[in-house]
Amino acid sequence: MLLAQNYTRNLPMRYPTYQAPFTPRVHISNLPVEILLMIMEFLPVLDLVSSFQVCRLFKHLLSDDLFWRSQYRSASILRPPGPFSGQSTAFLRNALVSSARVAQNWPPHTLSPTPRVGKDFQIFHNFRTFHNFPFSKLLAGRWLIAGDSQLIWCYDLHNPIPRMFYRPHLMANFFQCVSTTNDKGELVVFAVSETQVGNSRRGINIYKVAMDHNGPVITSRILRQDVPDSYPGVSDVTIGPRFLVVVPKGPYFIQTLPIIVDITTFQRYDISLPASLLQRFQ
């Protein structure tokens, strides 16, 4: 007993420890819906897309029609006109996300980047904006086909790194991409170019373009038509569900008739005008 008292006497004095009052932690999923929507209104558009995969609650909240209409109306980025009553929630969400990616990868007043082709070969691109390109076409609302008489580039609006799309043998006096929907409901794309080699050899080329998740790619040439020196040049290219028409310059199609190609069979159709009509314009 005495030994136990001496042992306890030598122990340090123990003071009672302070315990903070218990405060229950509130998980973000337990917040009211109104508070969650107010928080999500401050998130960037691309972060809202990532929030879809957080949980079922966030996916349910971000599927609300009024939320995306409010986001579309108050967004400060360049976007298509809207929101309108005929535009669905999926359309507004996809349009806003695509516009946000374009604004992130291609901010305004920036110079076009210098693309690289291969490992050691670099093409020095003239630093200029897209509106200075003589040839430009936007495909499927995402891929911009733009360039000049020397090179045509494919700019993915979701990716700031472009790639070479078409390179003529010497120079191109005209280049344009056209797209339509065929009888089967499939998207078909063609590229038309008027090339020139030297001062005499000129020709019109029509290419088949394949579309996949990586963008448009020229697969094959379906038509090569040599034209004389008196050919005035290509003015425009129109396409329908079945035919592609290469329209020459000039008010009348008398000396230079348009080129008509069946987009399914790739067969060319020749047009013959009556002799009386030809004599009228001679």
Side-chain angles (χ1 to χ4, degrees):
M1 185 67 180
L2 183 60
L3 182 61
Q5 291 178 357
N6 294 333
Y7 178 76
T8 56
R9 189 181 299 115
N10 296 328
L11 291 177
M13 185 177 296
R14 301 181 63 183
Y15 296 94
T17 58
Y18 173 77
Q19 294 183 356
F22 176 74
T23 55
R25 296 182 178 180
V26 179
H27 194 266
I28 189 172
S29 60
N30 297 330
L31 293 176
V33 176
E34 294 79 6
I35 302 298
L36 290 176
L37 291 177
M38 291 179 60
I39 295 175
M40 292 180 179
E41 288 180 355
F42 291 94
L43 294 178
V45 177
L46 298 181
D47 291 342
L48 291 175
V49 178
S50 302
S51 301
F52 262 95
Q53 305 175 359
V54 173
C55 60
R56 295 182 180 179
L57 176 61
F58 282 17
K59 184 178 181 180
H60 176 72
L61 293 177
L62 293 175
S63 301
D64 184 64
D65 179 72
L66 296 178
F67 175 79
W68 283 105
R69 290 186 178 276
S70 177
Q71 288 291 107
Y72 202 93
R73 188 179 297 107
S74 60
S76 59
I77 58 177
L78 186 63
R79 62 201 182 280
F84 302 120
S85 58
Q87 296 173 335
S88 62
T89 305
F91 172 81
L92 295 176
R93 181 174 62 249
N94 295 334
L96 193 59
V97 170
S98 299
S99 301
R101 288 174 177 171
V102 171
Q104 181 184 33
N105 296 326
W106 300 95
H109 308 296
T110 56
L111 301 177
S112 57
T114 303
R116 293 189 62 88
V117 180
K119 295 182 179 180
D120 302 326
F121 180 67
Q122 182 174 3
I123 298 177
F124 294 95
H125 204 267
N126 292 330
F127 292 106
R128 51 192 170 180
T129 53
F130 288 134
H131 66 272
N132 289 329
F133 285 128
F135 314 128
S136 61
K137 176 68 175 181
L138 185 64
L139 295 177
R142 176 175 175 178
W143 291 281
L144 178 66
I145 309 299
D148 51 19
S149 60
Q150 303 296 328
L151 286 172
I152 307 295
W153 298 97
C154 177
Y155 295 89
D156 187 354
L157 299 185
H158 295 179
N159 189 351
I161 302 176
R163 58 181 174 83
M164 188 174 66
F165 180 74
Y166 173 74
R167 186 176 188 179
H169 183 65
L170 186 60
M171 65 176 299
N173 298 328
F174 177 87
F175 185 87
Q176 184 175 346
C177 285
V178 290
S179 61
T180 186
T181 304
N182 58 12
D183 298 336
K184 300 180 181 179
E186 301 172 345
L187 178 67
V188 290
V189 183
F190 294 90
V192 180
S193 67
E194 179 193 345
T195 57
Q196 181 174 351
V197 180
N199 297 326
S200 58
R201 187 179 178 184
R202 300 171 60 189
I204 297 176
N205 306 278
I206 301 179
Y207 300 93
K208 181 72 172 65
V209 180
M211 297 289 294
D212 56 11
H213 63 280
N214 293 324
V217 178
I218 293 179
T219 57
S220 60
R221 184 172 63 182
I222 64 175
L223 178 67
R224 164 70 184 185
Q225 176 66 39
D226 294 330
V227 294
D229 297 339
S230 59
Y231 186 77
V234 179
S235 173
D236 194 9
V237 179
T238 60
I239 191 172
R242 185 177 176 183
F243 296 103
L244 182 146
V245 181
V246 180
V247 183
K249 296 179 181 179
Y252 303 107
F253 303 144
I254 302 301
Q255 300 296 333
T256 55
L257 298 177
I259 299 176
I260 303 177
V261 179
D262 192 327
I263 63 175
T264 304
T265 61
F266 304 149
Q267 179 182 358
R268 179 186 172 183
Y269 291 86
D270 295 327
I271 301 177
S272 59
L273 298 179
S276 59
L277 185 61
L278 291 175
Q279 294 177 359
R280 180 180 178 181
F281 289 94
Q282 287 180 353

